[in-house]
Amino acid sequence: MAVIFPSRRVRKTPFSPGVEAAGVKGYTVYNHMLLATFFESVAADAAHLKQNVQVWDVSCERQVSIKGPDALRLMKMLSPRDMDKMADDQCYYVPTVDHNGGMLNDPVAVKLAQDHYWLSLADGDLLQFALGIAIALGLDVEIDEPDVSPLAVQGPKADDLMVRVFGEEVRDIRFFRYKRLPFQGKEMVVARSGWSKQGGFEIYLEDGDYGMPLWKALFDAGEDLNVRAGCPNNIERIESGLLSYGSDMRRDNTPYECGLGKFCNSPEDYIGRAALAEQAKNGPARMIRPLVISGEIPACTGSWPLLADGRQVGQVASACYSPQFEVNVAIGMVDRSHWEAGTVVEIETEGGMRQALVQEKFWR
Ligand code: THG
């Protein structure tokens, strides 16, 4: 494919000079911003990630800042997840839905204060939904997209690298918790989270001017750890079952269909609650399932229908060959009639029909 032109619409990030210098080979656009897709090859990047440590420019995980006296009230309307149990230093994975229970986004919520939250977005303009509700209800909140750019440090050696830049304290950060730690005199939110199952952290850079100094400090400190520039890795995330909003699920899916029902535990009357009541009780009619596809498969650049007896029983929007597990791994949305592990279905790829087997679990 041809190159992508950055512009005011297709934004660069505070770390773009580092990503370019590291030899990025592919970009996608996510929240109107550049996101790298691979450096060496997706497979080589995945192998390196599983053994070492990588620094990922995930600035495109843009924050919606919700601040003010009514911040918690708005968060409770946006979140199917019980916000009352959220600790002051906690992050929550929060499926957000519309009035029909349809997925609008699956952000990570970060609680900065009782009256201040960030929603760290997947690809979608959730700010406009939040703003619309705040305006319609006359809520006393300020909603904006601040100059906050997450940088992920992922892989089994992430703790060792982060200690060298932020100090021993990083070891005590629990999963989906954060600490405010100084870098060159500037406090940064450092959370144990990230879009891989290899462990690691996310640093929420709150001032773009510190971007390249932070990038450089991590690479200088990690030379003997074989640190490399990386990015969310399509092989690793499919193996791990990490969902990509817009691909694996969209507004025509509910959190229950996405396997995110456990995050719908709010006692409050959030937007979409009534619409989800039936699925909360009886379960969804289709669900995200891991699949193994036989034979050779082309790159999955759209979605492939799942068929059984000539009838469509779902679709696959993420699939690739896994060098580690030596099979084609895939994430499907599969009808109840065919979602049980061991069920054989057919997949219609651009390269022809393939057989696929529904799996018990992902490869995490
Ligand atoms: N980190 C931050 N922002 C993000 C992402 C992130 N925004 C975009 C995207 N990723 C949002 N989607 C996800 C999907 C999965 C997870 C986080 C964000 C995730 N899930 C774990 C899992 O499924 O095992 C843990 C969920 C939990 O137990 O709370 O990490 O990655 N800042």
Side-chain angles (χ1 to χ4, degrees):
M1 287 204 4
V3 295
I4 291 179
F5 271 68
S7 68
R8 202 178 185 193
R9 285 187 306 99
V10 179
R11 300 172 287 181
K12 292 187 288 189
T13 87
F15 310 109
S16 286
V19 170
E20 291 289 327
V24 62
K25 288 212 184 99
Y27 275 123
T28 187
V29 176
Y30 191 102
N31 285 327
H32 317 280
M33 200 169 228
L34 293 175
L35 170 62
T37 52
F38 72 108
F39 285 83
E40 190 180 342
S41 69
V42 182
D45 291 359
H48 176 269
L49 169 65
K50 291 172 186 179
Q51 298 290 327
N52 301 279
V53 55
Q54 294 182 350
V55 178
W56 297 1
D57 174 7
V58 283
S59 300
C60 65
E61 296 169 352
R62 301 313 288 170
Q63 311 304 302
V64 174
S65 171
I66 297 176
K67 188 172 184 184
D70 287 332
L72 181 57
R73 192 172 153 213
L74 179 55
M75 286 297 290
K76 284 180 170 180
M77 302 202 66
L78 296 176
S79 168
R81 198 160 168 182
D82 185 352
M83 299 299 295
D84 284 324
K85 298 191 178 82
M86 193 175 198
D88 289 343
D89 65 344
Q90 199 158 14
C91 311
Y92 267 179
Y93 185 29
V94 175
T96 51
V97 299
D98 67 16
H99 61 308
N100 293 319
M103 291 285 292
L104 291 175
N105 209 291
D106 66 334
V108 175
V110 183
K111 182 175 181 177
L112 297 165
Q114 202 61 40
D115 64 351
H116 191 191
Y117 298 82
W118 283 336
L119 288 171
S120 186
L121 295 194
D123 192 20
D125 296 300
L126 197 72
L127 186 149
Q128 298 180 2
F129 182 70
L131 190 60
I133 290 162
I135 292 169
L137 296 179
L139 299 183
D140 188 359
V141 285
E142 227 177 89
I143 298 178
D144 55 23
E145 184 192 301
D147 175 18
V148 174
S149 298
L151 186 67
V153 179
Q154 300 285 297
K157 296 179 183 167
D159 277 69
D160 293 336
L161 176 55
M162 287 293 284
V163 160
R164 295 179 190 181
V165 176
F166 287 96
E168 283 293 333
E169 273 182 276
V170 301
R171 293 200 200 275
D172 303 329
I173 302 173
R174 289 153 62 199
F175 185 63
F176 269 56
R177 300 283 176 137
Y178 73 83
K179 282 184 198 282
R180 291 174 197 275
L181 300 172
F183 170 78
Q184 295 184 356
K186 176 94 184 161
E187 277 216 338
M188 297 186 181
V189 171
V190 179
R192 192 180 289 276
S193 55
W195 212 56
S196 88
K197 281 285 161 192
Q198 306 308 311
F201 300 86
E202 290 178 304
I203 307 156
Y204 291 82
L205 178 81
E206 284 182 66
D207 177 343
D209 290 345
Y210 287 81
M212 281 315 294
L214 175 61
W215 177 277
K216 190 174 178 312
L218 287 162
F219 281 88
D220 287 348
E223 211 170 323
D224 63 306
L225 298 174
N226 194 19
V227 63
R228 283 193 202 165
C231 52
N233 185 280
N234 201 49
I235 297 174
E236 197 276 343
R237 76 98 184 163
I238 295 174
E239 292 169 348
S240 299
L242 289 168
L243 304 180
S244 179
Y245 183 74
S247 287
D248 301 314
M249 75 294 198
R250 306 179 148 190
R251 196 151 83 96
D252 49 5
N253 301 115
T254 69
Y256 292 94
E257 294 177 359
C258 302
L260 304 176
K262 59 179 177 288
F263 299 124
C264 301
N265 62 348
S266 169
E268 316 255 339
D269 190 20
Y270 60 87
I271 296 162
R273 183 193 182 94
L276 290 174
E278 197 272 327
Q279 289 195 12
K281 199 156 153 257
N282 302 320
R286 51 193 178 168
M287 191 129 79
I288 288 286
R289 303 298 302 144
L291 296 145
V292 161
I293 308 173
S294 60
E296 289 209 359
I297 53 167
C300 187
T301 55
S303 75
W304 295 333
L306 283 178
L307 303 161
D309 308 318
R311 186 170 68 84
Q312 185 164 358
V313 295
Q315 88 223 356
V316 160
S318 302
C320 66
Y321 179 70
S322 162
Q324 182 179 349
F325 301 104
E326 301 180 316
V327 289
N328 299 314
V329 294
I331 300 176
M333 184 65 79
V334 187
D335 287 359
R336 186 194 285 258
S337 57
H338 289 77
W339 76 25
E340 214 163 291
T343 308
V344 177
V345 292
E346 295 222 90
I347 298 197
E348 190 181 347
T349 76
E350 294 87 344
M353 298 297 287
R354 298 288 183 274
Q355 274 206 341
L357 189 62
V358 179
Q359 304 294 298
E360 184 73 44
K361 46 189 189 343
F362 284 98
W363 297 262
R364 39 168 84 181

